[in-house]
Amino acid sequence: MSKLIRRVAIVGGTHGNEWTGVYLVKKFQQFPALTTRSSFETITLLANPKAIELNRRYIDQDLNRSFASEDLLNPKLINYENQRARDIVAQLGSRDQPQVDVIIDLHSTTSNMGLTILPSTPDPFNLRLSAYLSQIYPDVRVALGMNCTQDAPLLRSLSPLGFTIEVGAVAQSVLNADLFLKTEQLIYAVLDYIEALNQGKPLDVPSRLTLYQAIEAIDYPRDAIGNLQAFIHPDRQFKDYEPLQPDEPIFLTFAGESIRYQGNSTVFPIFINEAAYYEKQIAMILTEKREIELDKEY
Amino acid sequence: MSKLIRRVAIVGGTHGNEWTGVYLVKKFQQFPALTTRSSFETITLLANPKAIELNRRYIDQDLNRSFASEDLLNPKLINYENQRARDIVAQLGSRDQPQVDVIIDLHSTTSNMGLTILPSTPDPFNLRLSAYLSQIYPDVRVALGMNCTQDAPLLRSLSPLGFTIEVGAVAQSVLNADLFLKTEQLIYAVLDYIEALNQGKPLDVPSRLTLYQAIEAIDYPRDAIGNLQAFIHPDRQFKDYEPLQPDEPIFLTFAGESIRYQGNSTVFPIFINEAAYYEKQIAMILTEKREIELDKEY
């Protein structure tokens, strides 16, 4: 028997120019009945109001890398996102003293990720909920990050339960109706799933789950001082989750030369050509595709 | 007989986060032979270096609205883009004392505009060159802005000859290889066309040209204090240049209500859901589709 979920947080605008989450949270704040369920409380949060106002990813540093426990405790870190991170911890609770049970953090990406669920941890609750969602929505995929633990500096990692939702491809600073509406339905499905679980009438979950486990980030080819020398190969652009075989092209240099994947086995790239990852020196993240058996319990 | 073209300017990074033009100009600067032709000089320019460095559209104001003659002469206007505009006039010449004959300004858009040519003026040189390009590249379309004169405050309007190239759909702050390569080929075709013209061996131009004439900009539905109340209707997203009939849906409110086009005749929207136009209160620009006969001469 699982423990009850008492509070769920839906967070948008952790990155201020990712409008899908910003406007979904604004909609939920305007129409609170949409996220109200009888067995738990839903709270909503716009995480980075100043970045939202200025329509930027962040002001001083990436808020979604500002939640390392040691950084939260370091009094020398006082920039805008350092302070926002502490304000958010005051609202949602710390890792040691959580005030919410589940965090859903809404992001968007210029990569063609469809609706991707990135669980905060491999907790059976997260995996079973992910399996449920990927069963009812065929464009939902589930990816485990390289740092899929509560030690990550991410907002979602304040809680072991919950996940990031990444939707794309959508440009920064625009609303795409189709992806907005699909994300909205996905959130209602999450809330309904938790409601049923709390009421002792859990919804059917498939026994197996396809997971994409991140194994390596690849940067763009650059010159000695960091300037880009190539772009994503046109055959690879928008091909997130499609198999990449050894020796297939991944980049095309500005001079016209193809650069091929040097690995020895088939991988499945995601976050291909995400706008905000150029500065993180990530052109794509390679994953391995795995089928896992789910625990019957939780 | 047409006059000779002596100097052509290729400009990128007028908006710092439109990377197609930024990286094309960087490529041309690295490999000058690519844009060298025997009968004229090609110069290249990164128009807004500080915005490029900070990966923003602009620093203080839109550089591509900073070239009104009265603003250039107004000593009270001293922000970064005001000063950049004057520096660019010093390089490319003013409307009265041009230093270049043709300006090609490279932009990108989150709208699905393919390769759009926006002539600086309806000068026969521009229209014939546009007709040539749309004949050899089927995804080239030609649109005349509402202010298609040298009185516009645009960078391109420093010269009567030339045009903006808008390519999309591509997110801000990313490189899309396919659109980059197509834009590059388009520029070479422009240079080759001018070379042939200068050499008295003009290339064949079709006798007719399809033009999309801008007639009206439409804003998103907003509340009394300007907040968005709707997004582009999912049936209309990415449908630039497709006919819009009276009573067809154009917006969908966050509450789920369709808002329909109130006009009386068929129009052809462009710049649908361009990220940078939310702040300009433009959701799309309506155009009329026209077929024109081209002058035989120039």
Side-chain angles (χ1 to χ4, degrees), chain B residues 40-114:
Chain B
F40 61 93
E41 182 190 5
T42 304
I43 64 170
T44 55
L45 174 67
L46 290 172
N48 197 329
K50 203 164 159 183
I52 294 168
E53 187 192 335
L54 296 180
N55 191 20
R56 292 188 198 157
R57 184 174 175 87
Y58 55 78
I59 303 301
D60 296 315
Q61 68 176 48
D62 190 337
L63 177 61
N64 208 30
R65 301 294 182 276
S66 302
F67 289 89
S69 294
E70 66 274 25
D71 291 348
L72 292 168
L73 293 169
N74 183 343
K76 289 184 184 157
L77 300 179
I78 55 165
N79 72 25
Y80 178 71
E81 276 81 12
N82 296 143
Q83 298 182 47
R84 271 308 293 162
R86 290 186 193 106
D87 290 346
I88 290 166
V89 168
Q91 248 183 296
L92 304 186
S94 66
R95 292 173 175 84
D96 296 335
Q97 297 189 300
Q99 307 288 320
V100 297
D101 301 303
V102 176
I103 296 175
I104 300 165
D105 192 17
L106 304 177
H107 289 252
S108 64
T109 172
T110 61
S111 307
N112 191 21
M113 303 265 284

Side-chain angles (χ1 to χ4, degrees), chain A:
Chain A
M1 181 61 195
S2 60
K3 69 173 184 180
L4 288 182
I5 303 294
R6 295 294 187 193
R7 286 182 102 202
V8 173
I10 301 173
V11 182
T14 301
H15 296 133
N17 58 5
E18 294 179 2
W19 285 14
T20 310
V22 172
Y23 281 90
L24 270 171
V25 166
K26 285 185 177 180
K27 176 170 180 173
F28 296 149
Q29 291 178 343
Q30 191 180 354
F31 305 106
L34 293 171
T35 56
T36 301
R37 299 294 181 276
S38 66
S39 68
F40 60 93
E41 181 189 5
T42 304
I43 64 170
T44 56
L45 175 66
L46 290 172
N48 197 330
K50 203 163 159 183
I52 294 167
E53 187 191 336
L54 295 180
N55 191 20
R56 292 188 197 156
R57 184 174 176 86
Y58 56 79
I59 304 301
D60 295 315
Q61 69 176 46
D62 189 337
L63 177 61
N64 208 31
R65 301 295 181 276
S66 302
F67 289 89
S69 295
E70 66 272 25
D71 290 349
L72 292 168
L73 294 170
N74 182 344
K76 291 184 182 155
L77 299 178
I78 55 165
N79 72 26
Y80 178 71
E81 275 80 12
N82 296 143
Q83 297 181 48
R84 271 307 294 161
R86 291 187 192 106
D87 290 347
I88 290 166
V89 168
Q91 247 184 296
L92 304 186
S94 66
R95 292 172 175 85
D96 297 335
Q97 297 190 300
Q99 307 288 320
V100 298
D101 300 304
V102 176
I103 296 174
I104 300 166
D105 192 17
L106 304 177
H107 289 252
S108 64
T109 172
T110 61
S111 307
N112 191 21
M113 304 266 282
L115 300 179
T116 290
I117 291 172
L118 291 148
S120 306
T121 67
D123 189 286
F125 170 89
N126 293 336
L127 298 183
R128 288 173 60 79
L129 174 49
S130 299
Y132 169 76
L133 297 170
S134 56
Q135 180 184 42
I136 61 171
Y137 294 113
D139 40 4
V140 165
R141 290 194 185 83
V142 185
L144 292 185
M146 279 180 281
N147 200 357
C148 182
T149 75
Q150 278 205 271
D151 293 333
L154 310 175
L155 188 151
R156 72 174 187 232
S157 58
L158 291 176
S159 170
L161 304 189
F163 40 75
T164 299
I165 301 177
E166 284 280 359
V167 301
V170 59
Q172 296 172 343
S173 311
V174 305
L175 281 172
N176 177 296
D178 180 55
L179 286 171
F180 182 99
L181 296 170
K182 284 179 175 168
T183 309
E184 184 179 5
Q185 292 309 312
L186 189 63
I187 293 168
Y188 299 149
V190 169
L191 299 177
D192 294 341
Y193 177 93
I194 295 172
E195 176 88 333
L197 197 66
N198 275 347
Q199 292 174 337
K201 297 176 282 187
L203 300 176
D204 283 344
V205 171
S207 59
R208 299 176 68 83
L209 170 63
T210 302
L211 276 180
Y212 294 84
Q213 172 65 59
I215 53 169
E216 185 185 357
I218 293 187
D219 190 17
Y220 296 91
R222 296 179 190 264
D223 68 11
I225 56 170
N227 292 315
L228 287 183
Q229 296 297 295
F231 29 53
I232 299 292
H233 196 282
D235 294 346
R236 188 54 48 184
Q237 176 67 34
F238 294 131
K239 300 290 178 61
D240 300 76
Y241 292 110
E242 295 192 17
L244 170 65
Q245 315 290 353
D247 208 42
E248 285 188 329
I250 50 177
F251 299 112
L252 183 67
T253 70
F254 296 141
E257 185 196 355
S258 287
I259 296 181
R260 292 163 184 281
Y261 175 53
Q262 298 298 310
N264 297 315
S265 58
T266 304
V267 291
F268 298 79
I270 62 174
F271 284 110
I272 298 170
N273 208 354
E274 157 54 29
Y277 283 4
Y278 281 84
E279 71 174 16
K280 294 187 195 298
Q281 307 192 326
I282 297 173
M284 63 183 72
I285 291 176
L286 306 184
T287 74
E288 286 175 355
K289 187 175 181 177
R290 295 177 186 169
E291 288 271 335
I292 65 164
E293 287 283 337
L294 291 175
D295 294 337
K296 295 286 179 207
E297 288 303 311
Y298 196 81

Side-chain angles (χ1 to χ4, degrees), chain B residues 24 133 136-137 180-190:
Chain B
L24 270 171
L133 296 170
I136 62 171
Y137 293 113
F180 182 100
L181 296 171
K182 284 179 174 168
T183 310
E184 184 179 3
Q185 292 308 312
L186 190 63
I187 292 168
Y188 299 149
V190 170

